[in-house]
Amino acid sequence: CAPATNRGADGNGRSAARLSVVDGDGHPLVPNEGMPRFDGQNGRVYFYSSGTITLDVPAGPVTVRAVRGLATPEVSATVTVRPGETATASLALQPLWEAQRAGWYSADHHFHLNYGGQFALAPGDLAPLLQGEDLDVATPMLANLHNRFEDQPLFDWKSLGDGPLVTWAQEVRSHFLGHVGLLSTNTLFWPWVWGPGYETYGRDDRTNAEPIAFGRAQGGAGYYVHPVSGTRTPFTAAGMNVLPVALIADGVHGNIDLLEIVCLWSNSVGSAELWYRLLN
């Protein structure tokens, strides 16, 4: 994949990208190495390429789709592969907006390196993903499954040298009060979970203001994650029922440093409605 600019490109001007490849019947095609992923929102199987990748594919038409981050429109190409021959698809990615040139950094503050399952990833495994998504900063959250805490031994790991900045965040589950994230802290907040229905600390009674103050005391930030789920209209009689109980109170008292707008587990339109209401 050839980018319009050389940011993140190799010596030949090729850039990392997220790729989705299918044969003529729509079956996904993946490389022999690396980790293919499944996007539950659009049903696509995808993987990351550092700029050039070779696949073994069945003869016939093969369609390649590529994208790099949120600001680059998807491009695609279809080539016909003949038996025993090689076909090449070259795609040029043209970003609509470049964060660094505008004085910003692109970042993802809510994803989990490991959330159970069969594969255990190390922080270094994030490099292809961060490059393919055009991210400057990534703060993977220690996954909190309310009965076990994933990746806790890795909390002190930080990226060094060139490339995207990677440091950890912590997810704190306070049941119906709303889940919060602690960003850029040096020590972990305990307990990670409390409230009715949890196996441990089920009778614990505290507010979200406590972990947020804990993070601020270390020079970090506290924020509400996936604040509006399942509705585009949170400020209706039914929509108000999905708002975290403590979020409005914390907003009034100035306890919210950040608010997560776009997340797999929430409605981005409803979250934006909440964000602008708080700004006003």
Side-chain angles (χ1 to χ4, degrees):
C1 294
T5 64
N6 63 2
R7 178 173 176 241
D10 62 15
N12 296 313
R14 292 182 293 260
S15 176
R18 176 201 285 221
L19 300 182
S20 177
V21 184
V22 297
D23 64 14
D25 294 323
H27 296 152
L29 305 172
V30 298
N32 294 327
E33 297 181 353
M35 176 184 289
R37 291 171 166 86
F38 174 75
D39 191 322
Q41 292 187 312
N42 56 35
R44 289 186 182 178
V45 174
Y46 65 95
F47 54 90
Y48 291 102
S49 165
S50 61
T52 301
I53 194 166
T54 301
L55 304 180
D56 294 323
V57 302
V62 173
T63 299
V64 183
R65 295 181 174 89
V67 71
R68 187 168 192 257
L70 295 177
T72 302
E74 178 188 280
V75 294
S76 64
T78 299
V79 296
T80 299
V81 182
R82 301 183 183 280
E85 296 183 0
T86 300
T88 300
S90 297
L91 297 92
L93 298 172
Q94 176 67 55
L96 299 175
W97 181 73
E98 295 181 78
Q100 282 194 344
R101 288 193 175 187
W104 296 79
Y105 292 101
S106 57
D108 190 334
H109 294 307
H110 191 169
F111 68 97
H112 303 288
L113 181 65
N114 294 298
Y115 208 84
Q118 302 178 46
F119 302 100
L121 298 181
D125 295 326
L126 289 173
L129 183 150
L130 303 183
Q131 294 165 3
E133 297 295 349
D134 197 22
L135 291 172
D136 302 302
V137 180
T139 57
M141 303 188 82
L142 298 176
N144 176 351
L145 306 183
H146 70 77
N147 56 13
R148 67 185 187 274
F149 307 138
E150 298 285 350
D151 295 329
Q152 184 180 337
L154 300 175
F155 181 68
D156 293 330
W157 187 93
K158 290 180 175 60
S159 61
L160 299 174
D162 297 333
L165 171 65
V166 179
T167 187
W168 288 96
Q170 180 188 7
E171 185 170 17
V172 179
R173 291 179 180 264
S174 54
H175 200 65
F176 57 84
L177 296 179
H179 298 174
V180 298
L182 300 181
L183 180 63
S184 192
T185 59
N186 299 317
T187 58
L188 296 171
F189 178 81
W190 293 89
W192 292 29
V193 296
W194 71 85
Y198 286 140
E199 297 89 339
T200 307
Y201 301 107
R203 295 182 178 273
D204 196 295
D205 186 14
R206 68 182 73 219
T207 67
N208 279 341
E210 186 174 334
I212 292 174
F214 175 86
R216 283 179 167 180
Q218 301 177 60
Y223 57 105
Y224 274 78
V225 299
H226 45 72
V228 179
S229 300
T231 181
R232 298 165 62 96
T233 56
F235 296 103
T236 61
M240 288 293 288
N241 291 328
V242 308
L243 291 179
V245 171
L247 187 150
I248 301 301
D250 281 330
V252 170
H253 286 282
N255 290 335
I256 301 175
D257 299 311
L258 306 166
L259 187 71
E260 186 176 270
I261 303 299
V262 178
C263 179
L264 174 65
W265 298 279
S266 60
N267 187 291
S268 57
V269 175
S271 297
E273 289 290 330
L274 171 63
W275 171 237
Y276 284 111
R277 185 68 65 93
L278 290 174
L279 289 178
N280 290 337

